[in-house]
PDB file of all heavy atoms in Angstrom:
ATOM      1  N   VAL A  14     -27.969 -82.764 -26.814  1.00  0.00           N
ATOM      2  CA  VAL A  14     -27.050 -83.046 -27.927  1.00  0.00           C
ATOM      3  C   VAL A  14     -26.780 -81.772 -28.725  1.00  0.00           C
ATOM      4  O   VAL A  14     -25.638 -81.479 -29.105  1.00  0.00           O
ATOM      5  CB  VAL A  14     -27.614 -84.146 -28.846  1.00  0.00           C
ATOM      6  CG1 VAL A  14     -26.793 -84.262 -30.126  1.00  0.00           C
ATOM      7  CG2 VAL A  14     -27.642 -85.481 -28.116  1.00  0.00           C
ATOM      8  N   VAL A  15     -27.820 -80.979 -28.975  1.00  0.00           N
ATOM      9  CA  VAL A  15     -27.646 -79.717 -29.708  1.00  0.00           C
ATOM     10  C   VAL A  15     -26.735 -78.773 -28.931  1.00  0.00           C
ATOM     11  O   VAL A  15     -25.847 -78.117 -29.497  1.00  0.00           O
ATOM     12  CB  VAL A  15     -29.006 -79.057 -29.980  1.00  0.00           C
ATOM     13  CG1 VAL A  15     -28.806 -77.668 -30.601  1.00  0.00           C
ATOM     14  CG2 VAL A  15     -29.844 -79.922 -30.898  1.00  0.00           C
ATOM     15  N   ILE A  16     -26.927 -78.706 -27.608  1.00  0.00           N
ATOM     16  CA  ILE A  16     -26.067 -77.853 -26.779  1.00  0.00           C
ATOM     17  C   ILE A  16     -24.616 -78.297 -26.897  1.00  0.00           C
ATOM     18  O   ILE A  16     -23.695 -77.476 -27.025  1.00  0.00           O
ATOM     19  CB  ILE A  16     -26.520 -77.890 -25.310  1.00  0.00           C
ATOM     20  CG1 ILE A  16     -27.890 -77.218 -25.161  1.00  0.00           C
ATOM     21  CG2 ILE A  16     -25.500 -77.202 -24.408  1.00  0.00           C
ATOM     22  CD1 ILE A  16     -28.488 -77.358 -23.779  1.00  0.00           C
ATOM     23  N   ALA A  17     -24.392 -79.630 -26.878  1.00  0.00           N
ATOM     24  CA  ALA A  17     -23.027 -80.156 -26.971  1.00  0.00           C
ATOM     25  C   ALA A  17     -22.402 -79.886 -28.333  1.00  0.00           C
ATOM     26  O   ALA A  17     -21.178 -79.829 -28.454  1.00  0.00           O
ATOM     27  CB  ALA A  17     -23.039 -81.656 -26.679  1.00  0.00           C
ATOM     28  N   LEU A  18     -23.231 -79.674 -29.362  1.00  0.00           N
ATOM     29  CA  LEU A  18     -22.706 -79.347 -30.698  1.00  0.00           C
ATOM     30  C   LEU A  18     -22.241 -77.885 -30.777  1.00  0.00           C
ATOM     31  O   LEU A  18     -21.531 -77.508 -31.694  1.00  0.00           O
ATOM     32  CB  LEU A  18     -23.769 -79.604 -31.768  1.00  0.00           C
ATOM     33  CG  LEU A  18     -24.083 -81.075 -32.058  1.00  0.00           C
ATOM     34  CD1 LEU A  18     -25.277 -81.183 -33.003  1.00  0.00           C
ATOM     35  CD2 LEU A  18     -22.862 -81.771 -32.667  1.00  0.00           C
ATOM     36  N   ARG A  19     -22.670 -77.044 -29.854  1.00  0.00           N
ATOM     37  CA  ARG A  19     -22.304 -75.618 -29.769  1.00  0.00           C
ATOM     38  C   ARG A  19     -22.508 -74.885 -31.096  1.00  0.00           C
ATOM     39  O   ARG A  19     -21.565 -74.446 -31.750  1.00  0.00           O
ATOM     40  CB  ARG A  19     -20.859 -75.461 -29.323  1.00  0.00           C
ATOM     41  CG  ARG A  19     -20.622 -75.783 -27.859  1.00  0.00           C
ATOM     42  CD  ARG A  19     -19.185 -75.488 -27.481  1.00  0.00           C
ATOM     43  NE  ARG A  19     -18.881 -74.086 -27.679  1.00  0.00           N
ATOM     44  CZ  ARG A  19     -17.642 -73.628 -27.896  1.00  0.00           C
ATOM     45  NH1 ARG A  19     -16.624 -74.470 -27.950  1.00  0.00           N
ATOM     46  NH2 ARG A  19     -17.437 -72.345 -28.052  1.00  0.00           N
ATOM     47  N   PRO A  20     -23.752 -74.715 -31.517  1.00  0.00           N
ATOM     48  CA  PRO A  20     -24.004 -73.967 -32.757  1.00  0.00           C
ATOM     49  C   PRO A  20     -23.658 -72.492 -32.587  1.00  0.00           C
ATOM     50  O   PRO A  20     -23.888 -71.907 -31.524  1.00  0.00           O
ATOM     51  CB  PRO A  20     -25.505 -74.164 -32.988  1.00  0.00           C
ATOM     52  CG  PRO A  20     -26.059 -74.424 -31.632  1.00  0.00           C
ATOM     53  CD  PRO A  20     -24.988 -75.179 -30.882  1.00  0.00           C
ATOM     54  N   THR A  21     -23.097 -71.884 -33.620  1.00  0.00           N
ATOM     55  CA  THR A  21     -22.739 -70.465 -33.599  1.00  0.00           C
ATOM     56  C   THR A  21     -23.103 -69.820 -34.918  1.00  0.00           C
ATOM     57  O   THR A  21     -23.258 -70.499 -35.942  1.00  0.00           O
ATOM     58  CB  THR A  21     -21.230 -70.257 -33.356  1.00  0.00           C
ATOM     59  OG1 THR A  21     -20.494 -70.857 -34.442  1.00  0.00           O
ATOM     60  CG2 THR A  21     -20.779 -70.899 -32.050  1.00  0.00           C
ATOM     61  N   ILE A  22     -23.245 -68.504 -34.899  1.00  0.00           N
ATOM     62  CA  ILE A  22     -23.434 -67.722 -36.116  1.00  0.00           C
ATOM     63  C   ILE A  22     -22.409 -66.600 -36.113  1.00  0.00           C
ATOM     64  O   ILE A  22     -21.987 -66.147 -35.050  1.00  0.00           O
ATOM     65  CB  ILE A  22     -24.856 -67.140 -36.226  1.00  0.00           C
ATOM     66  CG1 ILE A  22     -25.181 -66.261 -35.005  1.00  0.00           C
ATOM     67  CG2 ILE A  22     -25.890 -68.235 -36.391  1.00  0.00           C
ATOM     68  CD1 ILE A  22     -26.507 -65.540 -35.106  1.00  0.00           C
ATOM     69  N   PRO A  23     -21.970 -66.129 -37.313  1.00  0.00           N
ATOM     70  CA  PRO A  23     -20.995 -65.027 -37.358  1.00  0.00           C
ATOM     71  C   PRO A  23     -21.559 -63.783 -36.715  1.00  0.00           C
ATOM     72  O   PRO A  23     -22.725 -63.434 -36.912  1.00  0.00           O
ATOM     73  CB  PRO A  23     -20.770 -64.814 -38.864  1.00  0.00           C
ATOM     74  CG  PRO A  23     -21.196 -66.103 -39.500  1.00  0.00           C
ATOM     75  CD  PRO A  23     -22.310 -66.631 -38.639  1.00  0.00           C
ATOM     76  N   GLY A  24     -20.745 -63.103 -35.899  1.00  0.00           N
ATOM     77  CA  GLY A  24     -21.172 -61.860 -35.265  1.00  0.00           C
ATOM     78  C   GLY A  24     -21.015 -60.682 -36.195  1.00  0.00           C
ATOM     79  O   GLY A  24     -20.273 -60.741 -37.180  1.00  0.00           O
ATOM     80  N   ASN A  25     -21.708 -59.602 -35.909  1.00  0.00           N
ATOM     81  CA  ASN A  25     -21.611 -58.377 -36.704  1.00  0.00           C
ATOM     82  C   ASN A  25     -20.729 -57.340 -36.028  1.00  0.00           C
ATOM     83  O   ASN A  25     -20.930 -56.152 -36.141  1.00  0.00           O
ATOM     84  CB  ASN A  25     -23.015 -57.784 -36.917  1.00  0.00           C
ATOM     85  CG  ASN A  25     -23.860 -58.657 -37.793  1.00  0.00           C
ATOM     86  OD1 ASN A  25     -23.361 -59.229 -38.749  1.00  0.00           O
ATOM     87  ND2 ASN A  25     -25.131 -58.778 -37.467  1.00  0.00           N
ATOM     88  N   HIS A  26     -19.733 -57.827 -35.289  1.00  0.00           N
ATOM     89  CA  HIS A  26     -18.872 -56.911 -34.555  1.00  0.00           C
ATOM     90  C   HIS A  26     -17.445 -57.421 -34.598  1.00  0.00           C
ATOM     91  O   HIS A  26     -17.188 -58.563 -34.898  1.00  0.00           O
ATOM     92  CB  HIS A  26     -19.341 -56.817 -33.095  1.00  0.00           C
ATOM     93  CG  HIS A  26     -19.811 -58.130 -32.556  1.00  0.00           C
ATOM     94  ND1 HIS A  26     -21.118 -58.365 -32.217  1.00  0.00           N
ATOM     95  CD2 HIS A  26     -19.152 -59.311 -32.345  1.00  0.00           C
ATOM     96  CE1 HIS A  26     -21.253 -59.612 -31.791  1.00  0.00           C
ATOM     97  NE2 HIS A  26     -20.076 -60.198 -31.862  1.00  0.00           N
ATOM     98  N   ARG A  27     -16.534 -56.549 -34.314  1.00  0.00           N
ATOM     99  CA  ARG A  27     -15.123 -56.904 -34.267  1.00  0.00           C
ATOM    100  C   ARG A  27     -14.606 -56.550 -32.878  1.00  0.00           C
ATOM    101  O   ARG A  27     -15.154 -55.682 -32.209  1.00  0.00           O
ATOM    102  CB  ARG A  27     -14.321 -56.122 -35.310  1.00  0.00           C
ATOM    103  CG  ARG A  27     -14.874 -56.198 -36.712  1.00  0.00           C
ATOM    104  CD  ARG A  27     -14.042 -55.300 -37.625  1.00  0.00           C
ATOM    105  NE  ARG A  27     -14.698 -55.105 -38.888  1.00  0.00           N
ATOM    106  CZ  ARG A  27     -14.590 -55.938 -39.901  1.00  0.00           C
ATOM    107  NH1 ARG A  27     -13.871 -57.016 -39.785  1.00  0.00           N
ATOM    108  NH2 ARG A  27     -15.202 -55.712 -41.040  1.00  0.00           N
ATOM    109  N   PRO A  28     -13.524 -57.187 -32.473  1.00  0.00           N
ATOM    110  CA  PRO A  28     -12.923 -56.784 -31.211  1.00  0.00           C
ATOM    111  C   PRO A  28     -12.531 -55.315 -31.272  1.00  0.00           C
ATOM    112  O   PRO A  28     -11.829 -54.908 -32.187  1.00  0.00           O
ATOM    113  CB  PRO A  28     -11.681 -57.688 -31.101  1.00  0.00           C
ATOM    114  CG  PRO A  28     -11.975 -58.840 -32.002  1.00  0.00           C
ATOM    115  CD  PRO A  28     -12.830 -58.294 -33.108  1.00  0.00           C
ATOM    116  N   PRO A  29     -13.013 -54.468 -30.359  1.00  0.00           N
ATOM    117  CA  PRO A  29     -12.769 -53.029 -30.461  1.00  0.00           C
ATOM    118  C   PRO A  29     -11.298 -52.663 -30.440  1.00  0.00           C
ATOM    119  O   PRO A  29     -10.908 -51.643 -30.967  1.00  0.00           O
ATOM    120  CB  PRO A  29     -13.503 -52.456 -29.237  1.00  0.00           C
ATOM    121  CG  PRO A  29     -13.661 -53.604 -28.304  1.00  0.00           C
ATOM    122  CD  PRO A  29     -13.784 -54.822 -29.157  1.00  0.00           C
ATOM    123  N   SER A  30     -10.451 -53.508 -29.848  1.00  0.00           N
ATOM    124  CA  SER A  30      -9.040 -53.166 -29.762  1.00  0.00           C
ATOM    125  C   SER A  30      -8.331 -53.298 -31.100  1.00  0.00           C
ATOM    126  O   SER A  30      -7.291 -52.706 -31.314  1.00  0.00           O
ATOM    127  CB  SER A  30      -8.357 -54.070 -28.736  1.00  0.00           C
ATOM    128  OG  SER A  30      -8.475 -55.432 -29.115  1.00  0.00           O
ATOM    129  N   ALA A  31      -8.902 -54.087 -32.023  1.00  0.00           N
ATOM    130  CA  ALA A  31      -8.208 -54.367 -33.273  1.00  0.00           C
ATOM    131  C   ALA A  31      -8.037 -53.115 -34.117  1.00  0.00           C
ATOM    132  O   ALA A  31      -7.019 -52.949 -34.782  1.00  0.00           O
ATOM    133  CB  ALA A  31      -8.963 -55.433 -34.053  1.00  0.00           C
ATOM    134  N   MET A  32      -9.039 -52.240 -34.147  1.00  0.00           N
ATOM    135  CA  MET A  32      -8.975 -51.025 -34.945  1.00  0.00           C
ATOM    136  C   MET A  32      -8.728 -49.794 -34.078  1.00  0.00           C
ATOM    137  O   MET A  32      -8.796 -48.676 -34.556  1.00  0.00           O
ATOM    138  CB  MET A  32     -10.279 -50.854 -35.728  1.00  0.00           C
ATOM    139  CG  MET A  32     -10.509 -51.911 -36.785  1.00  0.00           C
ATOM    140  SD  MET A  32      -9.259 -51.855 -38.064  1.00  0.00           S
ATOM    141  CE  MET A  32      -9.597 -53.395 -38.906  1.00  0.00           C
ATOM    142  N   GLY A  33      -8.484 -50.001 -32.796  1.00  0.00           N
ATOM    143  CA  GLY A  33      -8.352 -48.863 -31.889  1.00  0.00           C
ATOM    144  C   GLY A  33      -7.134 -48.010 -32.145  1.00  0.00           C
ATOM    145  O   GLY A  33      -7.053 -46.889 -31.661  1.00  0.00           O
ATOM    146  N   ASP A  34      -6.169 -48.524 -32.902  1.00  0.00           N
ATOM    147  CA  ASP A  34      -4.943 -47.776 -33.175  1.00  0.00           C
ATOM    148  C   ASP A  34      -4.970 -47.146 -34.557  1.00  0.00           C
ATOM    149  O   ASP A  34      -3.942 -46.751 -35.086  1.00  0.00           O
ATOM    150  CB  ASP A  34      -3.730 -48.711 -33.043  1.00  0.00           C
ATOM    151  CG  ASP A  34      -2.410 -47.952 -33.043  1.00  0.00           C
ATOM    152  OD1 ASP A  34      -2.361 -46.862 -32.446  1.00  0.00           O
ATOM    153  OD2 ASP A  34      -1.436 -48.442 -33.648  1.00  0.00           O
ATOM    154  N   LEU A  35      -6.164 -47.050 -35.155  1.00  0.00           N
ATOM    155  CA  LEU A  35      -6.283 -46.565 -36.529  1.00  0.00           C
ATOM    156  C   LEU A  35      -7.058 -45.259 -36.595  1.00  0.00           C
ATOM    157  O   LEU A  35      -8.119 -45.112 -35.990  1.00  0.00           O
ATOM    158  CB  LEU A  35      -7.006 -47.616 -37.382  1.00  0.00           C
ATOM    159  CG  LEU A  35      -7.237 -47.248 -38.849  1.00  0.00           C
ATOM    160  CD1 LEU A  35      -5.911 -47.135 -39.600  1.00  0.00           C
ATOM    161  CD2 LEU A  35      -8.136 -48.271 -39.512  1.00  0.00           C
ATOM    162  N   ASP A  36      -6.507 -44.288 -37.327  1.00  0.00           N
ATOM    163  CA  ASP A  36      -7.197 -43.034 -37.626  1.00  0.00           C
ATOM    164  C   ASP A  36      -7.541 -43.013 -39.108  1.00  0.00           C
ATOM    165  O   ASP A  36      -6.663 -43.223 -39.960  1.00  0.00           O
ATOM    166  CB  ASP A  36      -6.323 -41.826 -37.287  1.00  0.00           C
ATOM    167  CG  ASP A  36      -6.095 -41.669 -35.789  1.00  0.00           C
ATOM    168  OD1 ASP A  36      -6.857 -42.270 -35.012  1.00  0.00           O
ATOM    169  OD2 ASP A  36      -5.146 -40.956 -35.405  1.00  0.00           O
ATOM    170  N   VAL A  37      -8.808 -42.778 -39.420  1.00  0.00           N
ATOM    171  CA  VAL A  37      -9.290 -42.779 -40.802  1.00  0.00           C
ATOM    172  C   VAL A  37      -9.731 -41.370 -41.171  1.00  0.00           C
ATOM    173  O   VAL A  37     -10.631 -40.808 -40.537  1.00  0.00           O
ATOM    174  CB  VAL A  37     -10.468 -43.755 -40.976  1.00  0.00           C
ATOM    175  CG1 VAL A  37     -10.878 -43.825 -42.445  1.00  0.00           C
ATOM    176  CG2 VAL A  37     -10.103 -45.141 -40.458  1.00  0.00           C
ATOM    177  N   TYR A  38      -9.101 -40.801 -42.184  1.00  0.00           N
ATOM    178  CA  TYR A  38      -9.439 -39.454 -42.655  1.00  0.00           C
ATOM    179  C   TYR A  38     -10.198 -39.567 -43.981  1.00  0.00           C
ATOM    180  O   TYR A  38      -9.664 -40.064 -44.978  1.00  0.00           O
ATOM    181  CB  TYR A  38      -8.177 -38.612 -42.855  1.00  0.00           C
ATOM    182  CG  TYR A  38      -7.458 -38.260 -41.572  1.00  0.00           C
ATOM    183  CD1 TYR A  38      -6.596 -39.173 -40.962  1.00  0.00           C
ATOM    184  CD2 TYR A  38      -7.642 -37.027 -40.959  1.00  0.00           C
ATOM    185  CE1 TYR A  38      -5.932 -38.863 -39.784  1.00  0.00           C
ATOM    186  CE2 TYR A  38      -6.986 -36.708 -39.772  1.00  0.00           C
ATOM    187  CZ  TYR A  38      -6.134 -37.637 -39.190  1.00  0.00           C
ATOM    188  OH  TYR A  38      -5.473 -37.322 -38.021  1.00  0.00           O
ATOM    189  N   PHE A  39     -11.449 -39.125 -43.994  1.00  0.00           N
ATOM    190  CA  PHE A  39     -12.239 -39.071 -45.216  1.00  0.00           C
ATOM    191  C   PHE A  39     -12.118 -37.663 -45.793  1.00  0.00           C
ATOM    192  O   PHE A  39     -12.470 -36.679 -45.132  1.00  0.00           O
ATOM    193  CB  PHE A  39     -13.704 -39.391 -44.937  1.00  0.00           C
ATOM    194  CG  PHE A  39     -13.948 -40.805 -44.474  1.00  0.00           C
ATOM    195  CD1 PHE A  39     -14.195 -41.075 -43.134  1.00  0.00           C
ATOM    196  CD2 PHE A  39     -13.918 -41.856 -45.374  1.00  0.00           C
ATOM    197  CE1 PHE A  39     -14.425 -42.367 -42.707  1.00  0.00           C
ATOM    198  CE2 PHE A  39     -14.147 -43.166 -44.955  1.00  0.00           C
ATOM    199  CZ  PHE A  39     -14.391 -43.422 -43.622  1.00  0.00           C
ATOM    200  N   VAL A  40     -11.620 -37.567 -47.010  1.00  0.00           N
ATOM    201  CA  VAL A  40     -11.414 -36.272 -47.667  1.00  0.00           C
ATOM    202  C   VAL A  40     -12.341 -36.224 -48.881  1.00  0.00           C
ATOM    203  O   VAL A  40     -12.152 -36.974 -49.840  1.00  0.00           O
ATOM    204  CB  VAL A  40      -9.943 -36.102 -48.091  1.00  0.00           C
ATOM    205  CG1 VAL A  40      -9.730 -34.722 -48.707  1.00  0.00           C
ATOM    206  CG2 VAL A  40      -9.014 -36.321 -46.904  1.00  0.00           C
ATOM    207  N   VAL A  41     -13.341 -35.354 -48.830  1.00  0.00           N
ATOM    208  CA  VAL A  41     -14.429 -35.399 -49.800  1.00  0.00           C
ATOM    209  C   VAL A  41     -14.499 -34.120 -50.631  1.00  0.00           C
ATOM    210  O   VAL A  41     -14.506 -33.010 -50.092  1.00  0.00           O
ATOM    211  CB  VAL A  41     -15.780 -35.616 -49.086  1.00  0.00           C
ATOM    212  CG1 VAL A  41     -16.884 -35.880 -50.108  1.00  0.00           C
ATOM    213  CG2 VAL A  41     -15.687 -36.758 -48.086  1.00  0.00           C
ATOM    214  N   ASP A  42     -14.569 -34.304 -51.928  1.00  0.00           N
ATOM    215  CA  ASP A  42     -14.762 -33.206 -52.873  1.00  0.00           C
ATOM    216  C   ASP A  42     -16.220 -32.766 -52.800  1.00  0.00           C
ATOM    217  O   ASP A  42     -17.133 -33.556 -53.041  1.00  0.00           O
ATOM    218  CB  ASP A  42     -14.423 -33.709 -54.283  1.00  0.00           C
ATOM    219  CG  ASP A  42     -14.560 -32.632 -55.347  1.00  0.00           C
ATOM    220  OD1 ASP A  42     -15.072 -31.534 -55.055  1.00  0.00           O
ATOM    221  OD2 ASP A  42     -14.150 -32.904 -56.498  1.00  0.00           O
ATOM    222  N   THR A  43     -16.462 -31.508 -52.435  1.00  0.00           N
ATOM    223  CA  THR A  43     -17.835 -30.996 -52.396  1.00  0.00           C
ATOM    224  C   THR A  43     -18.027 -29.852 -53.390  1.00  0.00           C
ATOM    225  O   THR A  43     -18.913 -29.012 -53.215  1.00  0.00           O
ATOM    226  CB  THR A  43     -18.207 -30.520 -50.975  1.00  0.00           C
ATOM    227  OG1 THR A  43     -17.220 -29.606 -50.488  1.00  0.00           O
ATOM    228  CG2 THR A  43     -18.338 -31.692 -50.022  1.00  0.00           C
ATOM    229  N   THR A  44     -17.184 -29.795 -54.413  1.00  0.00           N
ATOM    230  CA  THR A  44     -17.372 -28.791 -55.452  1.00  0.00           C
ATOM    231  C   THR A  44     -18.647 -29.105 -56.237  1.00  0.00           C
ATOM    232  O   THR A  44     -19.221 -30.186 -56.119  1.00  0.00           O
ATOM    233  CB  THR A  44     -16.169 -28.756 -56.414  1.00  0.00           C
ATOM    234  OG1 THR A  44     -15.991 -30.054 -56.994  1.00  0.00           O
ATOM    235  CG2 THR A  44     -14.897 -28.358 -55.682  1.00  0.00           C
ATOM    236  N   SER A  45     -19.070 -28.177 -57.057  1.00  0.00           N
ATOM    237  CA  SER A  45     -20.332 -28.342 -57.790  1.00  0.00           C
ATOM    238  C   SER A  45     -20.346 -29.574 -58.673  1.00  0.00           C
ATOM    239  O   SER A  45     -21.409 -30.156 -58.933  1.00  0.00           O
ATOM    240  CB  SER A  45     -20.598 -27.091 -58.641  1.00  0.00           C
ATOM    241  OG  SER A  45     -20.792 -25.946 -57.829  1.00  0.00           O
TER     242      SER A  45
END
């Protein structure tokens, strides 16, 4: 019965193709 209920938990991953078209530029101030 538990198997037929198909319990799931949220995954900690995303489909790799979803962000594959994105370039992220981090621009950081390193002055004093």
Side-chain angles (χ1 to χ4, degrees):
V14 170
V15 174
I16 292 173
L18 288 173
R19 287 185 61 205
T21 62
I22 58 174
N25 292 322
H26 38 247
R27 308 176 193 275
S30 60
M32 294 297 168
D34 191 38
L35 179 66
D36 292 343
V37 185
Y38 292 81
F39 294 103
V40 183
V41 189
D42 181 351
T43 52
T44 58
S45 296

